[in-house]
Amino acid sequence: MYSLAMRTSLALLVCVAGVAVSAGGPPVQDWPQFRGPSGQGVSADERVPLEWSETTNVIWKTAVPGRGWSSPVVSDGRVWVTSAVPDRGAASLRLLGFDAEHGREIVNVEVFRIREAEFSTNAKNSDASPTPVVEGDRVYVHFGASGTAAVSVSGEVVWRTRLPYVTQHGNGGSPILHGDLLIVNCDGFDAAFVVALDKRTGRTRWRRSRRLPWSQAYSTPLAITVDGSDQVVSAGALYAMALDPLNGREIWRVSYPDTYANVPRPVFGHGLVFVSTGFQQPSLVAIRPDGSGDVTNTHVAWTLERGAPFTASPLLVGPDLYLVNDTGILMCLDALTGDIRALQRLGGNHSASPVYAGGRIYFAGEGGATTVIAPGHDLTPLAVNVLDGAILASPAVSDGSFLIRSASHLYRIGVR
């Protein structure tokens, strides 16, 4: 385990990795997008609990109507998720808002409506899988090809748009905000592109098509800063690319042939971008993002050939990169070299992305069990916390609590 001094060092290293944390300052309270403030699954909150169950440390538990695997986001005392609710042969695609203090539903608004069988989805997917992103008095929602919208925190739809493309297994990647842009990956069979919408109006500001051949993917972009310039890293089938957020110009590209259906979100730290390459045989590549053009042969620092996840995003904590694959194998790698430092079988299947909070790492499994470990190379579980129902959505952290979505409920887990 890491000492208190090492935890302080970890906080500083996490800051280097791009997390909005200031040493000695207050922890970030909101969790406004998929994987939190930095988009990388790290929280500065030290007050989160180690243990819980259905009868212990549950502040509230609220039923969520319909079906959806969007992860909770938290802003200004409200928790937001999306859901697809069956309604007379149709699916009502809805935004739901809950009071973070008591779990009371305060917003429930239909944003789009589709035929119930309009899009076929994988058994582990849903018509409401992308996670919303919140900023100020706006919640931005994305339902893949079914539609994208901005909704006020009071539940009024500000604008709607559709970004049509054909997908086999439903929607997946979440939107991100960068300045005045809402940026979304849209990767289908008939078209594959990254699009930036004006967050005020929903109008397209730029659109960057991927090169042929196209194939489906479900990843979320990540905005990073390299040598003082911003990049948006977008992982798709066959290759990952970095774009200039001002105009969509491609900065660099790394190919990984014969892979598709990428799900994990990229991670950035220690001067490297870590990208999971997708099905059929997933690998993980560490890329130096200071190149230009096709840098496949020049800027790949290392590659993990086996054991990379299909679904859960990597987690960078200090010098170590943690991966949990879909069959529950946990791997700790040296982030700079890719050397394997430790392996542990957690058990069960895993789709949710891990979270670092309170000096510990939390892995939520599909069966409802969350395994907790300390950072470092001893991966022995500190606790295994079981809730009723499946968990595929990634936990959020806010105000000393976890917000966890199961197949049927939303929980706030914390210590009063």
Side-chain angles (χ1 to χ4, degrees), residues 234-273:
S234 174
L238 307 176
Y239 66 92
M241 61 183 177
L243 305 178
D244 185 333
L246 294 179
N247 52 29
R249 176 183 62 87
E250 184 181 285
I251 300 171
W252 56 259
R253 174 169 32 99
V254 166
S255 298
Y256 32 78
D258 303 321
T259 58
Y260 65 98
N262 316 67
V263 177
R265 189 176 190 181
V267 166
F268 175 59
H270 306 298
L272 296 171
V273 174

Side-chain angles (χ1 to χ4, degrees), residues 273-318:
V273 174
F274 304 95
V275 175
S276 292
T277 62
F279 291 69
Q280 294 283 341
Q281 180 61 51
S283 62
L284 187 134
V285 292
I287 305 164
R288 294 188 299 273
D290 57 352
S292 61
D294 187 341
V295 299
T296 306
N297 296 324
T298 59
H299 281 67
V300 174
W302 55 262
T303 301
L304 175 72
E305 298 288 353
R306 299 185 64 182
F310 287 127
T311 310
S313 304
L315 178 70
L316 183 63
V317 180

Side-chain angles (χ1 to χ4, degrees), residues 27-70:
V28 176
Q29 292 298 302
D30 287 343
W31 193 268
Q33 63 168 322
F34 177 56
R35 305 208 73 203
S38 69
Q40 302 198 91
V42 176
S43 171
D45 200 322
E46 292 287 336
R47 301 167 295 151
V48 293
L50 169 64
E51 297 178 311
W52 62 82
S53 69
E54 284 287 338
T55 58
T56 305
N57 288 335
V58 176
I59 295 176
W60 50 256
K61 175 182 178 181
T62 299
V64 178
R67 184 170 184 267
W69 287 121
S70 61

Side-chain angles (χ1 to χ4, degrees), residues 5-309:
M6 282 296 289
R7 287 189 185 181
T8 302
S9 297
L10 277 176
L12 294 174
L13 284 166
V14 165
C15 189
V16 171
V19 178
V21 178
S22 58
V28 176
Q29 292 298 302
D30 287 343
W31 193 268
Q33 63 168 322
F34 177 56
R35 305 208 73 203
S38 69
Q40 302 198 91
V42 176
S43 171
D45 200 322
E46 292 287 336
R47 301 167 295 151
V48 293
L50 169 64
E51 297 178 311
W52 62 82
S53 69
E54 284 287 338
T55 58
T56 305
N57 288 335
V58 176
I59 295 176
W60 50 256
K61 175 182 178 181
T62 299
V64 178
R67 184 170 184 267
W69 287 121
S70 61
S71 300
V73 294
V74 189
S75 180
D76 197 25
R78 295 185 177 189
V79 186
W80 302 93
V81 296
T82 57
S83 188
V85 180
D87 184 17
R88 295 170 294 178
S92 176
L93 305 182
R94 309 188 74 84
L95 173 65
L96 309 175
F98 300 86
D99 171 64
E101 181 67 21
H102 304 291
R104 177 175 54 91
E105 182 186 281
I106 51 179
V107 173
N108 187 336
V109 58
E110 180 176 279
V111 187
F112 295 98
R113 191 176 187 85
I114 61 172
R115 298 193 309 272
E116 197 165 10
E118 187 170 343
F119 298 104
S120 62
T121 59
N122 187 279
K124 287 174 59 173
N125 203 355
S126 73
D127 288 315
S129 289
T131 297
V133 56
V134 190
E135 183 182 65
D137 62 352
R138 294 287 183 271
V139 185
Y140 299 91
V141 295
H142 177 61
F143 295 95
S146 300
T148 307
V151 184
S152 74
V153 294
S154 60
E156 298 174 356
V157 177
V158 179
W159 55 257
R160 293 183 178 92
T161 191
R162 289 181 184 265
L163 304 166
Y165 58 98
V166 177
T167 180
Q168 179 182 5
H169 295 299
N171 51 72
S174 302
I176 69 168
L177 286 167
H178 186 82
D180 60 353
L181 300 177
L182 184 74
I183 302 175
V184 187
N185 286 348
C186 300
D187 291 287
F189 288 124
D190 64 330
F193 55 93
V194 184
V195 63
L197 307 178
D198 187 311
K199 71 181 183 183
R200 297 162 297 189
T201 66
R203 294 181 180 140
T204 298
R205 294 272 290 274
W206 56 256
R207 172 171 165 153
R208 167 60 61 178
S209 293
R210 298 196 193 273
R211 292 175 171 83
L212 288 169
W214 295 321
S215 189
Q216 60 196 3
Y218 310 93
S219 184
T220 300
L222 181 72
I224 66 175
T225 301
V226 179
D227 296 331
S229 297
D230 292 341
Q231 302 182 6
V232 172
V233 180
S234 174
L238 307 176
Y239 66 92
M241 61 183 177
L243 305 178
D244 185 333
L246 294 179
N247 52 29
R249 176 183 62 87
E250 184 181 285
I251 300 171
W252 56 259
R253 174 169 32 99
V254 166
S255 298
Y256 32 78
D258 303 321
T259 58
Y260 65 98
N262 316 67
V263 177
R265 189 176 190 181
V267 166
F268 175 59
H270 306 298
L272 296 171
V273 174
F274 304 95
V275 175
S276 292
T277 62
F279 291 69
Q280 294 283 341
Q281 180 61 51
S283 62
L284 187 134
V285 292
I287 305 164
R288 294 188 299 273
D290 57 352
S292 61
D294 187 341
V295 299
T296 306
N297 296 324
T298 59
H299 281 67
V300 174
W302 55 262
T303 301
L304 175 72
E305 298 288 353
R306 299 185 64 182

Side-chain angles (χ1 to χ4, degrees), residues 335-382:
L336 291 177
T337 67
D339 293 339
I340 298 173
R341 299 304 189 196
L343 284 168
Q344 175 77 16
R345 181 178 293 277
L346 299 182
N349 296 328
H350 283 251
S351 290
S353 296
V355 168
Y356 173 80
R360 298 179 291 263
I361 304 175
Y362 296 76
F363 300 89
E366 290 182 14
T370 297
T371 303
V372 189
I373 67 167
H377 304 156
D378 179 1
L379 305 182
T380 304
L382 304 175

